[in-house]
């Protein structure tokens, strides 16, 4: 299934049905009077976050969604039926934006969350509503109220606990395949990954978290170079980042500066997230080269990088354990020192 993380669609709620002008005329009943029914309300437009979806591809082939008009009223005080509602099913993590593509209308962050986008028009009153002592035979009814319409953007931001960042060919997809059951495309050329991938890491039955692998960044990505920063939105909700550096390249410090610069340029708090720095592809390095590259990274980053290899698996469990600790901090299970927090006792009150 093709990955699509944004789509522009047109939505319109249904018009209300018109009220009826009718009079009761039956044999042997001299005082019939007005009996026109009301029109039904137009259909509403809803948006619902559902599990099992991870793309907006359904909105690539259909961009117009119009709820039906309510049924018109009829004689014998028969009211029209309400128009059927339209429910837009979207993946968890989808944002609904206004036509300007900046104003966030809704943020669908939980499965089962259902929000009203547009209300259908009210049905018109039939002539029964207008009868009275002065006007005992009204000959008019209200038309139905017009529905609402607007253009909106749907933008998907995958909800993951940990995000992977790095230059193209830093080994992010290989690491994701080694750490989870995900099977992303892996090849020895840049930009192998063209769409975000999600992987579930199972350290134990009670220790599970989600890693998001996004396409690699290059220098100038914030200005549109390469794939730009379009996919960085998928790690905005992450607890922390794993920054992978290709240990086989000559300038590991320069690679670190490039990614940090692009994260700063993108904004949205990405540069402020906790970052786990890792020197990848150490299976291709001698012990002396490993130490030299790690020292070079430590000098520019101010902290010792972890040494990992997605191919051999060396250092991967330790890196995943460090990532799990960051996830637990975000969830409020442990403090900064790693001590377990008793949330039940803290939240209890007499």
């Amino acid at each position: 299934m093709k990955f699509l993380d944004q789509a522009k669609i047109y939505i319109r709620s249904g018009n209300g049905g018109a009220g009826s002008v009718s009079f009761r005329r039956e044999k042997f009943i001299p005082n019939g009077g007005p009996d026109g029914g009301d029109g039904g309300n137009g259909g509403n437009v809803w948006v619902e976050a559902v599990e099992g979806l991870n793309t907006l591809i359904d909105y690539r082939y259909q961009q117009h969604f119009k709820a039906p008009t309510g049924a018109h009223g009829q004689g014998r005080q028969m009211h029209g039926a309400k128009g059927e509602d339209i429910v837009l099913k979207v993946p968890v993590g989808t944002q609904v934006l206004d036509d300007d593509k900046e104003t966030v209308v809704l943020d669908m962050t939980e499965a089962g969350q259902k929000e009203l986008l547009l209300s259908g028009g009210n049905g018109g009153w039939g002539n029964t509503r207008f009868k009275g002592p002065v006007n005992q035979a009204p000959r008019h009814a209200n038309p139905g109220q017009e529905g609402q319409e607007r253009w909106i953007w749907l933008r998907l931001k995958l909800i993951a606990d940990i995000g992977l960042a790095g230059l193209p060919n830093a080994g992010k997809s290989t690491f994701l395949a080694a750490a989870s059951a995900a099977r992303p495309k892996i090849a020895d050329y840049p930009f192998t990954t063209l769409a975000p991938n999600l992987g579930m890491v199972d350290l134990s039955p009670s220790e599970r978290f989600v890693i998001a692998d996004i396409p690699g960044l290059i220098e100038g990505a914030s200005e549109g170079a390469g794939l730009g920063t379009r996919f960085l939105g998928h790690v905005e909700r992450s607890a922390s980042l794993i920054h992978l550096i290709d240990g086989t390249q000559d300038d590991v410090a320069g690679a670190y500066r490039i990614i940090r610069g692009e994260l700063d340029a993108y904004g949205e708090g990405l540069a402020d997230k906790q970052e786990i720095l890792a020197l990848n592809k150490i299976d291709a390095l001698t012990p002396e080269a490993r130490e030299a590259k790690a020292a070079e990274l430590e000098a520019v980053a101010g902290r010792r990088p972890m040494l990992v290899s997605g191919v051999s698996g060396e250092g991967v469990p330790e890196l995943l354990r460090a990532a799990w600790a960051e996830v637990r901090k975000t969830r409020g299970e442990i403090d900064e020192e790693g001590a377990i927090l008793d949330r039940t006792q803290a939240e209890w009150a007499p």
Side-chain angles (χ1 to χ4, degrees):
M1 180 182 293
K2 183 179 179 180
F3 181 83
L4 186 70
D5 64 346
Q6 59 183 10
K8 185 178 183 180
I9 63 173
Y10 169 83
I11 56 175
R12 192 185 195 285
S13 59
N15 298 333
S20 171
V21 176
S22 175
F23 294 90
R24 183 179 181 186
R25 293 185 177 88
E26 297 182 45
K27 193 175 182 180
F28 307 121
I29 300 180
N31 299 321
D35 68 349
D38 300 340
N41 294 338
N44 302 322
V45 180
W46 300 79
V47 59
E48 182 180 8
V50 297
E51 294 180 336
L53 293 178
N54 57 8
T55 176
L56 296 172
I57 191 64
D58 293 339
Y59 302 99
R60 167 65 177 83
Y61 304 104
Q62 181 182 357
Q63 291 90 29
H64 292 75
F65 298 87
K66 301 178 182 179
T69 299
H72 302 312
Q74 300 182 43
R76 299 190 178 183
Q77 298 190 32
M78 290 190 291
H79 300 317
K82 179 184 180 301
E84 291 186 12
D85 292 347
I86 285 181
V87 180
L88 306 176
K89 297 186 182 297
V90 298
V92 177
T94 300
Q95 289 182 327
V96 180
L97 308 178
D98 206 352
D99 192 20
D100 60 8
K101 208 176 179 181
E102 295 182 357
T103 306
V104 178
V105 179
L106 292 170
D107 197 358
M108 313 299 290
T109 58
E110 298 180 2
Q113 181 181 353
K114 189 175 182 179
E115 303 289 347
L116 180 64
L117 287 176
L118 296 179
S119 298
N122 293 326
W125 283 359
N127 64 340
T128 305
R129 296 270 195 171
F130 301 99
K131 68 181 179 181
V134 176
N135 187 6
Q136 298 183 5
R139 295 183 176 275
H140 71 277
N142 285 345
Q145 186 181 27
E146 288 286 330
Q148 302 171 318
E149 61 181 355
R150 69 189 302 183
W151 284 92
I152 61 172
W153 281 89
L154 299 177
R155 182 172 64 191
L156 174 61
K157 292 184 178 180
L158 297 176
I159 297 180
D161 298 301
I162 299 293
L164 291 178
L167 292 173
N169 276 2
K172 300 186 298 298
S173 297
T174 304
F175 175 80
L176 182 67
S180 69
R183 292 295 175 263
K185 182 179 180 181
I186 300 173
D188 58 353
Y189 54 84
F191 297 111
T192 308
T193 301
L194 297 176
N197 294 306
L198 289 180
M200 176 66 73
V201 177
D202 285 301
L203 298 178
S204 73
S206 60
E207 298 173 314
R208 308 179 70 198
F209 61 95
V210 179
I211 290 183
D213 168 28
I214 63 169
L217 299 174
I218 63 174
E219 188 171 7
S222 59
E223 301 174 356
L227 294 177
T229 56
R230 171 181 172 182
F231 296 111
L232 276 180
H234 295 290
V235 295
E236 284 183 23
R237 307 177 193 268
S238 302
S240 60
L241 302 176
I242 294 179
H243 186 169
L244 291 180
I245 303 292
D246 183 359
T248 62
Q249 60 185 341
D250 296 331
D251 188 7
V252 292
Y256 174 82
R257 293 192 188 96
I258 289 174
I259 296 300
R260 292 304 305 178
E262 297 307 322
L263 294 179
D264 286 330
Y266 180 80
E268 302 298 333
L270 281 187
D272 300 327
K273 289 185 180 294
Q274 290 294 324
E275 180 188 68
I276 303 173
L277 184 61
L279 183 66
N280 196 18
K281 302 185 182 179
I282 61 172
D283 58 290
L285 301 177
T286 64
E288 295 77 13
R290 293 185 185 186
E291 184 58 34
K293 301 276 186 174
E296 187 178 348
L297 270 181
E298 185 176 6
V300 68
R303 61 188 183 278
R304 181 77 175 179
M306 302 187 71
L307 305 180
V308 299
S309 170
V311 173
S312 66
E314 182 181 354
V316 172
E318 292 78 8
L319 179 56
L320 294 179
R321 281 292 170 187
W324 172 241
E326 294 296 334
V327 173
R328 296 188 69 191
K329 291 177 185 177
T330 305
R331 295 177 181 176
E333 298 178 1
I334 60 176
D335 59 17
E336 292 298 327
E337 286 72 32
I340 298 177
L341 298 176
D342 189 351
R343 292 182 297 172
T344 303
Q345 183 176 2
E347 294 174 357
W348 184 84

